[in-house]
């Protein structure tokens, strides 16, 4: 009679390490082929970021598209903008802007880096974003506003 290996297998599975469990539940990378075109997300994020910095949108509304660290940095930057407006006694106003150019490149599978040049009545700014395919959708893992 062959030895009972089912019990041994279930015992091995029940002794997963904490690292195994963390890896299992961590965000899973997704290939570019399985992801939608990132351009609509870039346009929406650009508008949302500018509105958050202008004080007319809550950063929480963008949270689903941002990695945790990126979200926290944007919250901090929006708070600084709010304090600066308060010190100058300026009300929050919806930003008026025009997207001049949008350049996109893919340095690796499941990664897109985008630069968006935005013109406002006062100045021209650049937003640089890195989007990564995580859990079958694009997430902004880094945003720089120049």
């Amino acid at each position: 009679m062959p030895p009972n290996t089912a019990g041994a297998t279930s015992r091995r599975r029940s002794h997963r390490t904490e690292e195994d469990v963390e890896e299992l539940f961590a965000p899973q990378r997704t290939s570019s082929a399985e992801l939608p075109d990132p351009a609509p997300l870039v346009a929406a994020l650009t508008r949302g970021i500018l509105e958050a910095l202008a004080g007319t949108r809550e950063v929480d509304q963008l949270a689903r598209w941002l990695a945790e660290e990126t979200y926290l940095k944007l919250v901090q930057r929006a708070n600084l903008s709010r304090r600066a407006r308060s010190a100058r006694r300026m009300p929050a106003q919806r930003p008026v802007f025009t997207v001049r150019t949008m350049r996109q490149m893919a340095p690796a599978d499941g990664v897109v880096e985008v630069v968006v040049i935005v013109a406002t009545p006062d100045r021209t700014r650049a937003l640089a974003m890195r989007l990564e395919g995580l859990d079958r959708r694009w997430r902004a893992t880094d945003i720089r506003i120049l």
Side-chain angles (χ1 to χ4, degrees):
M1 189 172 209
N4 184 355
T5 57
T9 303
S10 66
R11 277 183 292 222
R12 275 184 280 174
R13 286 185 187 151
S14 66
H15 294 290
R16 289 190 169 141
T17 65
E18 188 174 321
E19 293 84 25
D20 292 341
V21 172
E22 285 180 16
E23 182 179 326
L24 186 64
F25 288 100
Q28 302 295 309
R29 296 229 175 254
T30 305
S31 171
S32 295
E34 299 177 48
L35 295 165
D37 177 21
L41 175 60
V42 170
L45 274 176
T46 298
R47 174 169 295 287
I49 290 166
L50 293 175
E51 289 175 351
L53 294 179
T56 59
R57 178 185 294 267
E58 293 295 324
V59 179
D60 293 350
Q61 295 176 359
L62 306 174
R64 65 181 292 193
W65 295 300
L66 304 175
E68 184 176 357
E69 185 177 330
T70 306
Y71 169 78
L72 294 174
K73 286 180 183 178
L74 188 58
V75 166
Q76 185 178 37
R77 180 110 186 227
N79 287 338
L80 290 172
S81 294
R82 182 178 43 80
R83 283 189 218 143
R85 276 191 314 279
S86 178
R88 288 182 269 145
R89 299 184 189 274
M90 294 180 67
Q93 294 180 342
R94 187 163 306 282
V96 176
F97 67 92
T98 304
V99 173
R100 292 272 173 102
T101 61
M102 185 184 313
R103 306 251 186 230
Q104 174 180 312
M105 65 178 290
D109 185 39
V111 177
V112 173
E113 294 178 343
V114 182
V115 176
V116 182
I117 306 297
V118 178
T120 66
D122 299 330
R123 64 197 274 195
T124 299
R125 304 181 91 159
L127 277 77
M129 296 182 222
R130 179 180 174 96
L131 303 177
E132 295 183 17
L134 298 171
D135 296 333
R136 300 190 179 276
R137 62 189 173 120
W138 291 112
R139 302 272 309 249
T141 58
D142 197 12
I143 296 173
R144 304 296 167 143
I145 305 159
L146 309 172

